[in-house]
C-alpha cells in the first residue's frame, strides 16, 4: 500500500530562520506528489505538484523538491504568517485514480 | 480561478436530523470529492465522482449519501448521524483528462457538530 511519512511532526522557527520539511513516500509508481498548506479549521490550500524526480518548484519563500523516495519543502526566511500545518500527499499509479495518500502533516510555528 | 465553495460553514445537528452539505466549483473540473477530517489528522477520502458518476465509495456508512446533480455541484446528505461523525467535511475538485486526474483543489470546509 502507498505510504507517506512526514517529519518533523512539529517545528518551531524564529522569524528568518530557514529550514526544511520532509515527506518520505513509498508508492508503486508515482503519479504525483502534492504539497498543501492548512490553517486551523480551514481547507487545505494547494501549494505545489511534483511529478518526477529532480523536479523543483518555487513560490515566494517556499521551494519544493522531489527525489525518488522523498520530497522536501524548503522555507527560506519564514515569517509568522507562514505558520500552518503543511500536508504532503501522493497519488500512485497502482492506486485507484484520484486516491491521495496523505501524511500526518508538519505543524509549523514561526515566532517573531 | 481555483475556488471551491462550500455551504454552510458551520452546522450543528441532532442525531435525528436530516441536513445537506453543498459544494460548488466553476473551474470546469469533472472530478469531485468528499473528505472527512478529524482534528490533527489528515483528510480521509469518502467519495469520488467522475463525470457525475460515483467512482469511489470508501465503505462510508449509509447515513452519508452523496449526490452530484451536475458537473458543478456536489451534495452530501446527512441522516441519523452519530456524535463521532463530528468533523470538518471537505469538498475538492480536479480536472480529469485522458485518464489522469490533476491537482485536487479544496474548499474551505463545513465544520459539523453532531449532538
Amino acid at each position: 500500500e502507498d505510504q507517506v511519512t512526514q517529519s518533523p511532526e512539529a517545528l518551531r522557527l524564529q522569524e528568518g530562520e530557514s529550514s526544511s520539511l520532509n515527506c518520505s513516500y513509498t508508492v508503486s509508481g508515482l503519479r504525483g506528489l502534492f504539497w498543501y498548506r492548512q490553517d486551523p479549521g480551514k481547507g487545505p490550500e494547494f501549494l505545489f505538484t511534483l511529478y518526477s524526480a529532480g523536479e523543483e518548484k518555487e513560490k515566494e519563500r517556499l521551494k519544493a523538491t522531489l527525489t525518488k523516495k522523498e520530497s522536501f519543502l524548503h522555507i527560506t526566511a519564514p515569517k509568522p504568517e507562514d505558520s500552518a500545518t503543511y500536508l504532503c500527499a501522493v497519488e500512485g499509479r497502482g492506486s485507484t485514480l484520484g486516491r491521495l495518500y496523505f501524511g500526518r502533516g508538519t505543524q509549523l510555528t514561526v515566532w517573531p | 480561478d481555483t475556488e471551491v465553495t462550500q455551504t454552510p460553514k458551520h452546522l450543528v445537528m441532532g442525531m435525528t436530523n436530516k441536513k445537506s452539505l453543498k459544494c460548488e466549483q466553476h473551474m470546469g473540473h469533472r472530478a469531485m470529492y468528499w473528505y472527512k477530517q478529524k482534528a490533527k489528522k489528515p483528510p480521509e477520502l469518502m467519495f469520488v465522482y467522475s463525470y457525475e458518476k460515483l467512482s469511489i465509495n470508501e465503505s462510508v456508512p449509509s447515513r452519508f449519501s452523496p449526490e452530484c446533480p451536475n458537473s458543478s455541484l456536489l451534495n452530501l446528505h446527512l441522516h441519523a448521524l452519530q456524535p463521532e461523525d463530528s468533523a470538518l467535511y471537505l469538498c475538492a475538485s480536479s480536472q480529469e483528462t485522458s485518464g489522469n486526474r490533476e491537482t485536487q483543489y479544496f474548499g474551505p470546509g463545513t465544520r459539523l457538530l453532531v449532538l
Side-chain angles (χ1 to χ4, degrees), chain A residues 28-80:
Chain A
S28 53
L30 182 68
R31 184 175 278 140
L33 184 142
F34 308 88
W35 282 100
Y36 293 90
R37 169 202 168 118
Q38 187 172 26
D39 293 303
K42 303 273 183 72
E45 175 189 344
F46 168 69
L47 295 174
F48 304 108
T49 302
L50 302 168
Y51 293 105
S52 56
E55 193 173 358
E56 299 182 352
K57 289 192 176 173
E58 284 188 71
K59 177 182 178 182
E60 296 179 356
R61 295 180 291 283
L62 300 177
K63 179 180 177 179
T65 61
L66 181 64
T67 72
K68 288 186 178 180
K69 294 183 179 180
E70 58 192 349
S71 176
F72 291 94
L73 185 65
H74 306 279
I75 303 178
T76 302
K79 297 181 178 182

Side-chain angles (χ1 to χ4, degrees), chain A:
Chain A
E1 183 178 283
D2 299 347
Q3 290 188 328
V4 179
T5 303
Q6 290 188 247
S7 62
E9 289 186 17
L11 180 64
R12 286 177 55 85
L13 298 174
Q14 188 169 14
E15 184 172 3
E17 180 187 0
S18 301
S19 187
S20 297
L21 313 182
N22 177 263
C23 171
S24 297
Y25 64 91
T26 304
V27 68
S28 53
L30 182 68
R31 184 175 278 140
L33 184 142
F34 308 88
W35 282 100
Y36 293 90
R37 169 202 168 118
Q38 187 172 26
D39 293 303
K42 303 273 183 72
E45 175 189 344
F46 168 69
L47 295 174
F48 304 108
T49 302
L50 302 168
Y51 293 105
S52 56
E55 193 173 358
E56 299 182 352
K57 289 192 176 173
E58 284 188 71
K59 177 182 178 182
E60 296 179 356
R61 295 180 291 283
L62 300 177
K63 179 180 177 179
T65 61
L66 181 64
T67 72
K68 288 186 178 180
K69 294 183 179 180
E70 58 192 349
S71 176
F72 291 94
L73 185 65
H74 306 279
I75 303 178
T76 302
K79 297 181 178 182
E81 52 262 42
D82 294 322
S83 297
T85 295
Y86 290 84
L87 293 169
C88 172
V90 298
E91 183 180 2
R93 295 190 183 281
S95 300
T96 303
L97 192 63
R99 176 175 282 116
L100 296 183
Y101 289 89
F102 281 89
R104 296 177 66 89
T106 292
Q107 185 172 355
L108 174 66
T109 304
V110 182
W111 48 284

Side-chain angles (χ1 to χ4, degrees), chain A residues 31 34 36 38-46 48-49 51 87 91 93 96-100 102-105 107, chain B residues 33 35 37 40-45 48 55-56 58 88 90 96 99-109 111:
Chain A
R31 184 175 278 140
F34 308 88
Y36 293 90
Q38 187 172 26
D39 293 303
K42 303 273 183 72
E45 175 189 344
F46 168 69
F48 304 108
T49 302
Y51 293 105
L87 293 169
E91 183 180 2
R93 295 190 183 281
T96 303
L97 192 63
R99 176 175 282 116
L100 296 183
F102 281 89
R104 296 177 66 89
Q107 185 172 355
Chain B
Y33 312 75
Y35 287 85
Q37 187 176 27
K40 298 195 180 299
K41 296 285 181 65
E44 298 175 25
L45 184 65
V48 181
S55 65
I56 298 177
E58 290 288 279
L88 181 68
L90 296 164
E96 187 162 336
N100 288 314
R101 292 201 183 128
E102 306 295 332
T103 299
Q104 294 182 29
Y105 294 91
F106 286 82
R111 172 69 63 188

Side-chain angles (χ1 to χ4, degrees), chain B residues 38-74:
Chain B
K38 303 282 266 185
K40 298 195 180 299
K41 296 285 181 65
E44 298 175 25
L45 184 65
M46 300 175 71
F47 303 103
V48 181
Y49 273 82
S50 174
Y51 288 86
E52 296 131 65
K53 288 185 169 45
L54 185 64
S55 65
I56 298 177
N57 178 341
E58 290 288 279
S59 301
V60 178
S62 60
R63 57 185 184 268
F64 295 91
S65 175
E67 179 196 19
C68 190
N70 61 56
S71 60
S72 299
L73 293 174
L74 186 66

